Amino acid sequence: TQPFAAVYAWSTGAISPSIQVSSTGQYNVDVSTPCSIASQNVDVVPDDDCVVPEFHKDIYVPNVFSPNGDGINDEFRLSFGSDLVILASDGTIYDRWGNLVYHSNALNFVWDGNFAEESMMPGVYVYTIKVKYTDGNVEQEEVLAGDLTLLR
């Protein structure tokens, strides 16, 4: 999703920003905004060695952001479902050479794409974020890890 108006049209007939896929095949989505239209085809195929991480369904970690000052997607931040209460987070971001470029243990983990008040170069960065939260009355902790792309 994004902070500006968009219309989604999936090949399944769905109009939501995302769909849940339960069978193999090719899926297509057209995203229309006032300024542009984008299309994407996705082939879903079975694979015996596919291991799905057991991340909570209500934690979303983006894989790209663009800290260019346009007010759209300017920060790398986690999003949580309304049923989760975040108790703590501790995360780090590294460049492709393994250098630490950001660390925070703020409750809301947010990176603006800077290091020592200087804009980082576009590219792929690696993150690891430990999140402690309650889901109902159950306290849980997850370590989220992956890569993110910074665009300028």
Side-chain angles (χ1 to χ4, degrees):
T1 61
Q2 64 290 318
F4 50 87
V7 175
Y8 298 85
W10 289 90
S11 56
T12 62
I15 57 171
S16 59
S18 64
I19 61 171
Q20 185 169 10
V21 176
S22 58
S23 62
T24 61
Q26 186 174 75
Y27 296 84
N28 175 276
V29 63
D30 295 321
V31 182
S32 304
T33 68
C35 301
S36 181
I37 297 175
S39 295
Q40 180 70 47
N41 289 317
V42 179
D43 289 316
V44 177
V45 295
D47 195 349
D48 292 339
D49 66 350
C50 178
V51 178
V52 178
E54 294 185 20
F55 296 148
H56 195 281
K57 64 181 173 27
D58 286 339
I59 298 177
Y60 173 72
V61 183
N63 61 358
V64 66
F65 76 119
S66 58
N68 56 11
D70 66 357
I72 300 169
N73 203 23
D74 283 334
E75 299 173 326
F76 171 74
R77 66 173 57 237
L78 306 181
S79 298
F80 301 96
S82 59
D83 58 333
L84 301 184
V85 176
I86 308 308
L87 303 173
S89 72
D90 187 27
T92 53
I93 296 178
Y94 301 91
D95 65 16
R96 64 181 172 169
W97 298 280
N99 298 311
L100 177 68
V101 296
Y102 183 71
H103 173 261
S104 175
N105 58 6
L107 195 56
N108 295 319
F109 185 88
V110 177
W111 183 42
D112 62 4
N114 292 326
F115 174 70
E117 299 184 29
E118 295 289 325
S119 296
M120 295 300 295
M121 295 295 295
V124 177
Y125 295 81
V126 177
Y127 67 85
T128 168
I129 306 167
K130 182 168 54 172
V131 180
K132 186 184 291 188
Y133 60 90
T134 58
D135 185 359
N137 293 330
V138 179
E139 187 173 303
Q140 298 185 38
E141 185 174 285
E142 292 189 34
V143 177
L144 310 167
D147 59 77
L148 68 125
T149 303
L150 186 155
L151 302 175
R152 294 255 180 221

